[in-house]
Amino acid sequence: MEAYEFSSLVDEYGNSIYRFCKGMTYTVEDAEDLYQQTFLKAFEKRNKIDRNSNVKAYLMQIASNIWKTHKSTYKRHERIAPTVSYDDMESDVCDEKTNIDEMIIKSDEERILRENINRLPDKLKQVIVMFYSSELSIEDISKVLHIPKGTVKSRLYNAKEQLRIMMERQVSP
């Protein structure tokens, strides 16, 4: 694959890979670093990329492997200087009918959900982010993580159950 062909991969899959990186890391800066490292590694391996296979899953696998490798750095950073995960959500244009209170409550619920996702064990967090943020199928997640589909389903179920429990604890007095 030539360099000009590779740029089309970035255009086609860049947003999905960035959302995945953002979901797996603790800060936007970490997500940007992981995103760049992912495409650098993919560029190095561009001759192995088969456009007829699931390129998105292949890129996610690269990102996942880099994330696992650098996980100790993230843990050390978190221990030394705790960070708060936040999302650079695009601000919605409010019209006259929009209820500001509802927007604040929804924003607060989303923040709590993101914080709880970050508290999940890594194996569960990874599957949740891949399934919901990156919109990978169970089969694709299975291929990316090199685990059986049943394990993906089990982790997805356990992650949702743990998130439900965490959310209930935080919402109910």
Side-chain angles (χ1 to χ4, degrees):
M1 174 180 294
E2 298 298 322
Y4 68 88
E5 291 175 308
F6 185 81
S7 69
S8 69
L9 290 182
V10 176
D11 292 341
E12 190 172 347
Y13 301 108
N15 289 337
S16 295
I17 300 303
Y18 182 73
R19 278 193 312 272
F20 173 72
C21 293
K22 201 170 180 183
M24 293 306 298
T25 59
Y26 303 109
T27 65
V28 172
E29 292 81 13
D30 288 341
E32 289 170 356
D33 287 345
L34 180 58
Y35 174 82
Q36 289 176 354
Q37 290 174 17
T38 299
F39 278 104
L40 284 172
K41 182 63 86 176
F43 186 76
E44 290 172 5
K45 296 181 172 191
R46 69 184 179 277
N47 294 326
K48 295 181 180 180
I49 297 176
D50 179 12
R51 290 286 263 168
N52 296 323
S53 66
N54 191 338
V55 177
K56 182 178 176 182
Y58 180 73
L59 293 170
M60 298 251 175
Q61 182 178 16
I62 291 172
S64 179
N65 290 340
I66 292 170
W67 177 74
K68 286 177 189 176
T69 302
H70 290 91
K71 189 170 179 272
S72 62
T73 303
Y74 294 134
K75 280 188 174 182
R76 186 179 73 235
H77 176 67
E78 188 65 21
R79 209 174 39 247
I80 294 169
T83 56
V84 177
S85 177
Y86 64 94
D87 192 16
D88 291 335
M89 295 175 12
E90 296 177 10
S91 60
D92 296 333
V93 178
C94 298
D95 58 17
E96 297 165 7
K97 297 178 183 177
T98 303
N99 184 339
I100 299 298
D101 292 338
E102 289 175 10
M103 287 178 56
I104 292 170
I105 289 170
K106 183 178 181 195
S107 174
D108 195 41
E109 288 172 347
E110 288 173 354
R111 179 190 53 78
I112 291 169
L113 179 61
R114 283 191 309 272
E115 288 172 359
N116 286 332
I117 289 171
N118 280 333
R119 289 187 187 110
L120 286 174
D122 293 326
K123 290 179 179 180
L124 302 182
K125 177 182 174 183
Q126 205 170 26
V127 171
I128 279 285
V129 170
M130 286 180 171
F131 189 77
Y132 288 105
S133 296
S134 302
E135 299 175 350
L136 285 182
S137 68
I138 289 178
E139 184 175 334
D140 289 340
I141 295 170
S142 170
K143 289 176 185 175
V144 168
L145 298 178
H146 303 293
I147 57 176
K149 289 185 229 177
T151 303
V152 173
K153 290 177 185 178
S154 172
R155 288 181 184 176
L156 193 57
Y157 174 82
N158 289 333
K160 289 192 285 188
E161 191 62 22
Q162 284 188 28
L163 284 172
R164 183 187 61 75
I165 291 168
M166 286 189 268
M167 295 295 286
E168 285 176 356
R169 286 182 185 156
Q170 290 178 330
V171 173
S172 60

